[in-house]
């Protein structure tokens, strides 16, 4: 059993903290956001993440998991301190490390004995050494000499299946430089280590690079199939069949080969930008990633163009009412960071459309993220309410309930029958058979 503090109780910090407690460790989750900590203390989970509430409740009840706003005392009570704060993009696209630095310095000011400081946040190559320097500087300011190690332990969980991903990872990556730190990390992940989860030990820079390279690769793969889809539309091929056949090739694999409106979320956009920036900084530009970023941005605009073209061409969106179904960047999360729905709603509004939007979990997020177009936007009560009196349905996020719409009912609610399936969920023949005009991506 390890004594652990987790700084930052967002998607990653809360899931990591709760699951590490579930592995038998004693965990204090710390956040500067008082509201968040108060909610957690009263048993409320501030994010939508399937299964997380059970893990949190179980471990709070067992006395293994607690919540605090003050990092200093949590550091003193722990031997391992995880850094799980945000690393949002700075104006130039690089990762903004201000929160990581603040936590590192606070650890340096508070620590009273040996600590392993673990970078769980996604950070540029070289950050672990910076964290070490920031802590060392604070110790020097205090005039004390205390031993500590910094470890890089990138996180690969996916929102929407975060608990399952954390407890059944494809691999655990530990970048460390001392035997002591490596041994302590084995203790932290003992439940997985004993379970024969692939446990990859590397140096610090390698661990940091593994995370960026993995995310950038997936972003490239999505963008690849999106570009193939765009070409399919021109040549009369069906990208669904192309992807299915490609995916059968073991060297390619079927995952992340779904054509759609472009990737979004809290990770791929910012991590591809940050990696491109690292490449430029080191004089080794990553042209493939630079191109991916640009292509993904234009894929979102392309969706707005597709809808406008489908509705009759330039100017045709003026005065139309459009139902946008699904706003979160993917199903099973309320996260709307960089969600394609934002660019699509804004694009439709800019071309004169009125939007009726709905998402099962992201309505609160949408209220402020789409505030810029609130004059052109109404939030619906449910998926069918969103369709009332509309000229087009645009399916942006493939939540389960949106995969199985009652098409009779849909038709009875709409005033014109345009069906834009940006996730290729529906069968063209079935939708057209009901009297809709059907538009997929790459079909
Ligand atoms: P988040 O924004 O949901 O959470 C960050 C939390 O840190 C917030 O609650 C914030 O209040 C808190 N915080 C900020 N400064 C603090 C401080 N000084 N002390 C304590 N708490 C502080 O972010 P997230 O999505 O959990 O991402 C965290 C990191 O993990 C990022 O680097 C991200 O790239 C990485 N990551 C995210 C995912 C994901 O799916 N969200 C997956 C893998 C890796």
């Amino acid at each position: 059993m390890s004594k652990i503090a987790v700084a930052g109780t967002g998607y990653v910090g809360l899931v990591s903290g709760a699951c590490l407690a579930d592995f038998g460790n004693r965990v204090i989750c710390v956040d500067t956001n008082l509201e968040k900590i108060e909610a957690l203390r009263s048993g409320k989970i501030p994010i939508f993440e399937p299964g997380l509430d059970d893990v949190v409740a179980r471990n709070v009840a067992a006395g293994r998991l607690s919540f605090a706003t003050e990092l200093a005392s949590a550091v003193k009570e722990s031997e391992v301190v995880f850094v799980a704060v945000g690393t949002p993009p700075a104006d130039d696209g690089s990762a903004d490390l201000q929160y990581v630095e603040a936590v590192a310095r606070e650890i340096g000011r508070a620590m009273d004995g040996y600590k392993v400081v673990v970078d769980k946040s996604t950070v540029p190559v070289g950050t672990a050494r910076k964290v070490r320097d920031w802590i060392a500087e604070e110790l020097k300011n205090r005039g004390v000499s205390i031993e500590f190690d910094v470890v890089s332990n990138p996180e690969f969980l996916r929102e929407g299946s975060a608990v399952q991903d954390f407890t059944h990872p494809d691999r655990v990556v530990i970048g460390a430089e001392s035997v002591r730190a490596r041994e302590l990390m084995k203790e932290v992940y003992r439940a997985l280590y004993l379970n024969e989860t692939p446990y990859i030990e590397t140096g610090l820079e390698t661990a940091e690079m593994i995370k960026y390279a993995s995310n950038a690769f997936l972003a490239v793969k999505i963008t690849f199939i999106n570009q193939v889809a765009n070409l399919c539309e021109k040549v009369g091929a069906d990208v669904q069949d192309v992807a299915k056949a490609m995916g059968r090739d073991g060297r390619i694999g079927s995952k992340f080969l779904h054509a759609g409106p472009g990737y979004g979320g809290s990770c791929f956009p910012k991590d591809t930008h940050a990696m491109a920036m690292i490449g430029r900084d080191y004089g080794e530009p990553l042209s493939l990633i630079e191109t991916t970023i640009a292509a993904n941005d234009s894929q979102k605009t392309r969706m707005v163009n597709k809808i406008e073209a489908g509705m009759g061409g330039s100017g045709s969106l003026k005065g139309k009412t459009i139902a946008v179904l699904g706003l979160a960047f993917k199903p099973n999360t309320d996260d709307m960071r960089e969600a394609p729905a934002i660019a699509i709603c804004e694009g439709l509004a800019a071309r004169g459309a009125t939007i009726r939007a709905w998402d099962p979990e992201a309505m609160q997020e949408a209220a402020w993220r789409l505030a810029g177009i609130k004059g052109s936007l109404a939030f619906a009560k449910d998926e069918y309410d969103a369709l009332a009196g509309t000229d087009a349905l645009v399916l942006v996020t493939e939540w389960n309930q949106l995969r199985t719409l009652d098409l009779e009912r849909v038709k009875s609610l709409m005033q014109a029958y345009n069906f834009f399936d940006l996730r290729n969920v529906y069968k063209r023949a079935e939708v057209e058979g009901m009297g809709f005009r059907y538009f997929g991506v790459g079909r």
Side-chain angles (χ1 to χ4, degrees):
M1 188 271 288
S2 306
K3 288 183 169 177
I4 299 171
V6 180
T9 309
Y11 283 89
V12 167
L14 181 55
V15 171
S16 306
C19 293
L20 288 171
D22 220 36
F23 293 165
N25 299 298
R26 195 282 283 130
V27 181
I28 308 172
C29 280
V30 182
D31 205 287
T32 42
N33 184 331
L34 179 64
E35 232 175 275
K36 207 175 253 192
I37 293 302
E38 276 176 350
L40 284 161
R41 280 180 173 155
S42 66
K44 287 194 206 82
I45 307 292
I47 52 171
F48 175 76
E49 186 57 53
L52 183 58
D53 45 358
D54 286 346
V55 185
V56 169
R58 181 161 73 234
N59 286 283
V60 168
R64 286 190 296 262
L65 179 63
S66 60
F67 302 100
T69 50
E70 227 231 296
L71 184 58
S73 43
V75 167
K76 291 193 177 84
E77 288 171 44
S78 306
E79 192 164 24
V80 181
V81 185
F82 278 82
V83 182
V85 293
T87 47
D91 290 339
D92 62 359
S94 64
D96 181 351
L97 291 178
Q98 63 166 308
Y99 306 103
V100 174
E101 177 173 356
V103 168
R105 290 192 180 280
E106 220 175 323
I107 295 169
R109 287 195 294 273
M111 61 193 269
D112 53 356
Y114 176 79
K115 309 284 169 196
V116 181
V117 178
V118 186
D119 282 346
K120 171 77 70 195
S121 300
T122 303
V123 289
V125 180
T127 302
R129 288 189 202 284
K130 283 190 185 161
V131 166
R132 197 178 57 191
D133 292 346
W134 289 323
I135 296 173
E137 209 175 289
E138 292 299 327
L139 291 175
K140 196 168 160 225
N141 290 345
R142 287 168 59 195
V144 295
S145 159
I146 303 172
E147 230 190 296
F148 68 96
D149 280 301
V150 176
V151 164
S152 168
N153 169 217
E155 182 50 53
F156 301 95
L157 65 78
R158 295 162 300 175
E159 288 175 23
S161 53
V163 171
Q164 171 71 17
D165 289 348
F166 194 93
T167 52
H168 301 79
D170 292 332
R171 73 300 209 189
V172 172
V173 173
I174 302 291
E177 294 192 315
S178 82
V179 174
R180 189 174 183 184
R182 286 190 199 284
E183 290 308 314
L184 273 164
M185 292 311 290
K186 274 183 195 150
E187 198 54 39
V188 167
Y189 284 109
R190 196 176 148 79
L192 296 180
Y193 189 72
L194 295 178
N195 238 348
E196 296 188 4
T197 300
Y199 195 86
I200 300 166
E201 296 188 314
T202 70
L204 295 172
E205 285 76 12
T206 303
E208 291 169 334
M209 182 60 90
I210 288 169
K211 174 65 189 175
Y212 277 121
S214 302
N215 271 5
F217 184 83
L218 294 173
V220 169
K221 195 171 177 191
I222 294 172
T223 304
F224 177 85
I225 202 67
N226 282 341
Q227 290 204 331
V228 171
N230 298 342
L231 183 58
C232 281
E233 289 180 4
K234 296 276 163 65
V235 302
D238 185 330
V239 75
Q240 291 284 91
D241 292 336
V242 173
K244 202 190 285 172
M246 280 176 67
R248 288 283 171 170
D249 187 325
R251 295 168 302 177
I252 298 174
S254 59
K255 292 189 176 150
F256 285 75
L257 269 191
H258 303 285
Y263 60 77
S266 67
C267 293
F268 289 178
K270 91 174 163 60
D271 294 348
T272 45
H273 274 286
M275 190 168 186
M277 189 77 184
I278 298 168
R280 272 178 259 139
D281 283 350
Y282 282 82
E284 202 58 62
L286 299 159
S287 57
L288 192 54
I289 296 171
E290 308 263 8
T291 303
T292 294
I293 294 168
N296 190 61
D297 287 342
S298 67
Q299 188 71 6
K300 296 178 186 173
T301 315
R302 200 184 169 95
M303 296 301 111
V304 180
N305 294 341
K306 174 194 282 292
I307 297 164
E308 187 173 56
M311 298 291 286
S314 180
S316 63
L317 292 175
K318 208 168 242 151
K320 295 286 188 324
T321 306
I322 298 184
V324 174
L325 299 182
L327 303 169
F329 84 91
K330 66 173 180 181
N332 293 321
T333 181
D334 58 353
D335 200 339
M336 272 188 73
R337 287 179 277 188
E338 303 282 335
I342 299 175
I344 292 169
C345 287
E346 287 174 351
L348 295 173
R351 296 184 199 188
T354 299
I355 296 155
R356 291 182 64 75
W358 181 76
D359 186 280
E361 295 293 338
M363 297 299 265
Q364 224 177 327
E365 278 289 301
W368 70 271
R369 290 198 187 267
L370 295 173
I373 54 162
K374 70 171 184 259
S376 313
L377 177 74
F379 287 112
K381 288 200 295 286
D382 59 38
E383 59 272 53
Y384 294 103
D385 180 42
L387 290 159
T390 53
D391 300 285
L393 176 165
V394 180
L395 175 58
V396 181
T397 312
E398 69 281 31
W399 286 89
N400 271 341
Q401 57 265 65
L402 299 178
R403 290 173 172 272
T404 52
L405 288 168
D406 172 352
L407 296 181
E408 290 277 6
R409 189 168 167 201
V410 169
K411 202 169 169 205
S412 72
L413 293 163
M414 295 176 71
Q415 64 175 13
Y417 311 123
N418 298 295
F419 197 111
F420 294 90
D421 178 7
L422 304 188
R423 297 289 179 176
N424 291 341
V425 167
Y426 286 86
K427 293 202 168 71
R428 174 188 289 279
E430 193 184 327
V431 178
E432 286 181 345
M434 296 283 304
F436 290 94
R437 296 172 68 229
Y438 178 85
F439 306 86
V441 176
R443 316 172 84 175

